[in-house]
Amino acid sequence: AFFWLVSLLLASLIWFVSVHLSDQEDAKLQYGLLIFGAAVSVLLQEAFRFAYFKLLKKADEGLATISEDGRSPISLRQMAYVSGLSFGIISGVFSVINILADSIGPGIVGIHGDSPYYFITSAFLTMALVLLHTFWGVIFFDACEKRRYWCLGMVVASHLLTSGLTFLNPRYEASLVPIFIITLCMGLWAFITAGGSFRNILECLSCKQENDSRVMMYSALQVPFED
Amino acid sequence: MITFMNNSDSEEEPCNERTSLMSAESPPVPSYQDGQQASEAGEAHAHRKRRTGSSRSPNNATDGDVSDSGVPVRESTLENEEEELTLKYGAKHVIMLFVPVTLCMIVVVATIKSVRFYTEKNGQLIYTPFSEDTPSVGQRLLNSVLNTIIMISVIVVMTVFLVLLYKYRCYKFIHGWLILSSLMLLFLFTYIYLGEVLKTYNVAMDYPTLFLVIWNFGAVGMICIHWKGPLQLQQAYLIMISALMALVFIKYLPEWSAWVILGAISIYDLMAVLCPKGPLRMLVETAQERNEPIFPALIYSSAMIWAVGMAKPETAARGPSQQMWDTAEDRGEDHRSPSHTNSQISERRSPVPTRPITSFEELEEEERGVKLGLGDFIFYSVLVGKAAATASGDWNTTLACFVAILIGLCLTLLLLAVFKKALPALPISITFGLVFYFSTDNLVRPFMDTLASHQLYI
């Protein structure tokens, strides 16, 4: 969460500086700068995700060296999940909490001609974003671990695409539906990356008791060894 | 309210409170310290901490040293176990500190957002005499700096006074002071708080019921804090007390002075704890020499120490400076610190026995917790509360400060593990908090607002 916040801070700084250096009256320019700011922010978020991956890798190695069996207590996959989830939570919270706070107060949605579905679509978009960040975290870490750079590129590209789709926003069918489709695809991809498969789901759903594969050997009573 | 505050200086106490983070172990014996750094903060395994200096470095080093005898090999495997347990418990203790700090902040932010009383300006404390209602920016800045200087010097004077009292063993005076201040907090401030909350929600309450509630709350609080009580109840009371004090600060400190004071107090904390002649460091060292806990009532401790008796056979083998902290006693003492208490994170490791301990009962762990001074709680909550009260970006700023403070706390605990001595808990967190507050309020807020108005997501 901290890393995401720092990336947001830097992106806001860049946007702020660019806005103040430019003509404040020109609405088109401001909109363009906003797009630019959003793109920069997406790229910075991914860069910080990578930095966080590096940090966790180092920590993982440290944990592994001091542990008894040479393995660290939490796996890189768990770390990927946690990292993605926390990016998602802080990103979602930052996007939606002010809207939530305003939704308590008195008011009418869309009285100036905006969409009356603002709140509900914000809620859905935030949910999609949180899930997406989680999935991206898993895929990203796995891609970095296995050095599959095209996966990294896909993650960054899909993030840019998602953010870009929100620019179509009052036309919700154009933005919300594709974003959910992207979420589903990313979810499947992350599931497969994390080692899931159709069989796993079946096993989980059928609630099979895990057979204890250890075999107990009962030998005849023996006198204990005298060494 | 102002006149009352003029009369008693006990309200000054919380601001002079200890801001320290300590682990409840005694300092390590140098015998097995190879200069290795501990990988964990503030845990205590009384007996496992034989190699309290156990570090993250690979065991190759230790193995290489002791390759010849069987006993050292066994010791090194024990050391690995210790390190791993250290890490596990260290992470657990970090979480154990996150929860109370978060709870305190939640109480403060919830109150600030709902009860109007704490955001209204109704005057100032006498410790900040200069008003900020001046027309020019320069004058306002000057006034806030002067306010800060006065406040910090009051804090320094009271800390030095407390250290002198402690040095000359005037325990009765200190205890009386602490009891008086906790009395005031538990009864008067709670009464005012309850009154304001009831007013906000327009709930009618009669005086007899109010009296009964406050009497019970206060009496149980006094007992829990100054004598004995269930650990969780004591922790809850400490959190409530810190929140109340933080609310008082948020209400009565003027805007700019509050921020400058926060910055100045973290610098003071740094100096008082780390400089050789710093009052807080002297306090800690004196307490260590005398094998006494330092005003445990003023510290939030996350776990109980038991089985102090088990340490006795080992204490005999060690020098006088290594004693275990008896946190059971700690909890019995005053918690309110009308005085400056240490702003330190001190890590006390249990003394290292001079021979390998193989018996199981001695290898049993003592669940010791990390200790954090109440002053730390108070100032963290002041920062977050001020962010909630005054930031125009509302929740984003508050959340950013919250995350920043928690990360600062994490880093401080990490440093505690590395340096293994008293460390100040304020500087890193407050610095992060201030940086995030100002940057989020001025940079991130317009960006996020503009994005939200177009319903754009990043």
Side-chain angles (χ1 to χ4, degrees):
Chain A
F2 183 68
F3 276 67
W4 188 87
L5 278 176
V6 175
S7 82
L8 181 65
L9 202 70
L10 289 175
S12 316
L13 180 65
I14 294 177
W15 176 81
F16 192 77
V17 165
S18 71
V19 162
H20 277 263
L21 287 180
S22 70
D23 179 14
Q24 303 245 351
E25 299 306 313
D26 188 354
K28 280 211 94 47
L29 179 64
Q30 294 300 315
Y31 197 67
L33 279 179
L34 198 61
I35 299 181
F36 166 68
V40 165
S41 165
V42 167
L43 293 172
L44 275 174
Q45 282 178 45
E46 297 302 326
F48 271 83
R49 208 199 291 268
F50 185 69
Y52 192 57
F53 168 74
K54 283 278 178 224
L55 184 69
L56 281 184
K57 200 89 173 76
K58 269 209 158 49
D60 197 34
E61 287 165 8
L63 284 174
T65 45
I66 66 167
S67 82
E68 275 184 348
D69 49 3
R71 280 175 304 158
S72 78
I74 49 174
S75 73
L76 200 64
R77 280 200 187 140
Q78 287 172 315
M79 287 198 232
Y81 172 69
V82 169
S83 143
L85 186 64
S86 67
F87 261 56
I89 289 179
I90 191 79
S91 155
V93 163
F94 256 64
S95 308
V96 95
I97 193 110
N98 281 330
I99 299 177
L100 277 178
D102 284 339
S103 71
I104 301 177
I108 303 178
V109 190
I111 197 169
H112 288 294
D114 300 311
S115 161
Y117 302 116
Y118 186 80
F119 285 149
I120 190 81
T121 50
S122 293
F124 275 114
L125 275 174
T126 312
M127 178 185 84
L129 200 65
V130 173
L131 288 172
L132 274 173
H133 268 289
T134 316
F135 300 146
W136 282 329
V138 173
I139 300 171
F140 194 95
F141 276 45
D142 190 67
C144 285
E145 184 73 14
K146 302 204 174 101
R147 301 189 185 279
R148 289 199 203 129
Y149 294 118
W150 62 274
C151 285
L152 275 187
M154 283 291 289
V155 167
V156 178
S158 63
H159 195 168
L160 281 169
L161 181 65
T162 310
S163 183
L165 279 173
T166 58
F167 279 82
L168 297 175
N169 242 342
R171 295 190 287 278
Y172 291 123
E173 58 286 347
S175 66
L176 211 51
V177 174
I179 288 182
F180 269 91
I181 294 177
I182 294 180
T183 311
L184 278 170
C185 297
M186 288 289 147
L188 277 174
W189 189 4
F191 183 67
I192 295 174
T193 312
S197 68
F198 195 55
R199 240 188 74 216
N200 282 355
I201 303 179
L202 283 181
E203 273 178 20
C204 180
L205 285 177
S206 65
C207 299
K208 262 194 266 194
Q209 296 282 345
E210 231 185 70
N211 289 333
D212 197 339
S213 51
R214 286 171 296 168
V215 181
M216 302 276 287
M217 310 234 324
Y218 293 93
S219 55
L221 282 174
Q222 289 178 352
V223 178
F225 268 114
E226 232 88 33
D227 216 6
Chain B
M1 196 58 165
I2 295 178
T3 51
F4 180 88
M5 290 202 178
N6 283 345
N7 292 338
S8 85
D9 61 355
S10 50
E11 118 237 313
E12 176 54 16
E13 298 146 9
C15 79
N16 305 334
E17 210 129 8
R18 255 188 307 200
T19 47
S20 70
L21 193 57
M22 311 189 216
S23 78
E25 309 172 56
S26 322
V29 171
S31 60
Y32 276 123
Q33 308 310 314
D34 307 325
Q36 296 169 334
Q37 302 291 318
S39 52
E40 217 28 69
E43 290 38 301
H45 297 283
H47 308 278
R48 285 182 175 266
K49 285 310 170 178
R50 317 197 284 127
R51 315 294 166 80
T52 28
S54 50
S55 69
R56 280 176 167 276
S57 59
N59 299 311
N60 315 332
T62 47
D63 286 344
D65 291 343
V66 293
S67 49
D68 291 328
S69 61
V71 166
V73 167
R74 190 176 22 150
E75 288 174 357
S76 66
T77 55
L78 271 171
E79 183 178 331
N80 294 352
E81 283 172 23
E82 286 171 20
E83 283 177 2
E84 183 170 329
L85 275 163
T86 306
L87 259 190
K88 248 192 342 194
Y89 284 109
K92 194 166 132 201
H93 288 305
V94 169
I95 304 296
M96 292 209 293
L97 274 187
F98 271 16
V99 172
V101 172
T102 310
L103 276 176
C104 192
M105 289 187 200
I106 287 178
V107 170
V108 170
V109 170
T111 310
I112 293 271
K113 289 284 184 190
S114 51
V115 178
R116 290 268 149 260
F117 173 72
Y118 287 104
T119 39
E120 292 161 4
K121 295 255 37 130
N122 271 345
Q124 299 181 195
L125 301 172
I126 54 160
Y127 305 106
T128 52
F130 295 95
S131 155
E132 284 194 7
D133 275 334
T134 54
S136 77
V137 170
Q139 181 72 16
R140 187 171 186 185
L141 194 61
L142 181 70
N143 279 355
S144 54
V145 170
L146 288 173
N147 278 341
T148 309
I149 292 176
I150 295 176
M151 185 76 135
I152 299 285
S153 32
V154 170
I155 290 178
V156 170
V157 162
M158 310 241 315
T159 310
V160 170
F161 185 48
L162 176 73
V163 172
L164 285 175
L165 281 179
Y166 190 68
K167 244 181 150 56
Y168 294 114
R169 301 178 187 263
C170 311
Y171 294 136
K172 284 207 175 0
F173 190 92
I174 294 178
H175 284 156
W177 192 1
L178 292 179
I179 287 181
L180 194 66
S181 71
S182 51
L183 260 176
M184 192 189 73
L185 263 180
L186 278 173
F187 287 100
L188 180 72
F189 285 2
T190 311
Y191 169 71
I192 293 172
Y193 178 77
L194 204 56
E196 292 305 324
V197 168
L198 291 174
K199 264 191 234 171
T200 305
Y201 291 107
N202 209 13
V203 173
M205 180 167 287
D206 53 314
Y207 274 114
T209 315
L210 187 70
F211 175 71
L212 197 67
V213 167
I214 297 215
W215 171 251
N216 280 318
F217 180 80
V220 174
M222 290 298 288
I223 292 174
C224 259
I225 291 166
H226 293 270
W227 193 47
K228 296 184 193 149
L231 180 68
Q232 298 206 318
L233 197 58
Q234 190 202 24
Q235 290 174 339
Y237 269 104
L238 291 177
I239 293 175
M240 272 305 303
I241 297 267
S242 312
L244 282 173
M245 202 59 223
L247 284 169
V248 165
F249 274 136
I250 294 173
K251 181 173 170 64
Y252 286 107
L253 286 179
E255 296 282 334
W256 290 19
S257 306
W259 298 112
V260 184
I261 285 178
L262 275 173
I265 203 154
S266 49
I267 298 177
Y268 162 71
D269 201 22
L270 195 64
M271 289 185 349
V273 172
L274 296 179
C275 292
K277 277 300 172 192
L280 297 177
R281 183 164 169 163
M282 283 175 31
L283 189 67
V284 173
E285 284 169 2
T286 317
Q288 279 181 339
E289 278 167 33
R290 296 183 194 168
N291 307 327
E292 289 166 359
I294 306 177
F295 304 126
L298 303 168
I299 299 190
Y300 176 96
S301 78
S302 54
M304 242 179 90
I305 283 200
W306 50 274
V308 176
M310 284 171 68
K312 291 290 165 51
E314 275 134 18
T315 53
R318 282 165 281 145
S321 63
Q322 306 132 11
Q323 294 295 330
M324 290 221 277
W325 266 37
D326 186 355
T327 37
E329 226 181 295
D330 292 356
R331 294 191 308 118
E333 292 183 21
D334 302 340
H335 98 92
R336 203 73 292 269
S337 110
S339 47
H340 308 277
T341 44
N342 354 336
S343 305
Q344 346 169 339
I345 298 181
S346 69
E347 183 169 300
R348 311 297 180 83
R349 302 301 192 124
S350 58
V352 175
T354 48
R355 50 179 171 70
I357 294 178
T358 47
S359 64
F360 262 120
E361 61 175 25
E362 295 179 50
L363 282 176
E364 226 176 304
E365 287 146 26
E366 290 188 356
E367 188 73 41
R368 291 218 211 191
V370 187
K371 293 181 172 189
L372 181 61
L374 285 188
D376 296 330
F377 277 86
I378 292 177
F379 284 110
Y380 293 162
S381 307
V382 166
L383 196 146
V384 175
K386 267 274 182 229
T390 63
S392 39
D394 270 354
W395 292 97
N396 281 351
T397 318
T398 314
L399 282 170
C401 289
F402 169 69
V403 172
I405 287 181
L406 285 185
I407 293 287
L409 192 61
C410 252
L411 280 176
T412 316
L413 283 168
L414 204 63
L415 284 180
L416 178 67
V418 166
F419 288 111
K420 290 199 289 288
K421 58 177 200 150
L423 286 182
L426 279 184
I428 301 182
S429 290
I430 299 280
T431 312
F432 277 1
L434 286 174
V435 164
F436 268 75
Y437 171 75
F438 286 112
S439 52
T440 311
D441 201 30
N442 297 321
L443 296 175
V444 176
R445 186 183 45 87
F447 187 45
M448 293 304 288
D449 282 349
T450 323
L451 285 177
S453 66
H454 294 276
Q455 209 173 12
L456 302 175
Y457 281 76
I458 51 167

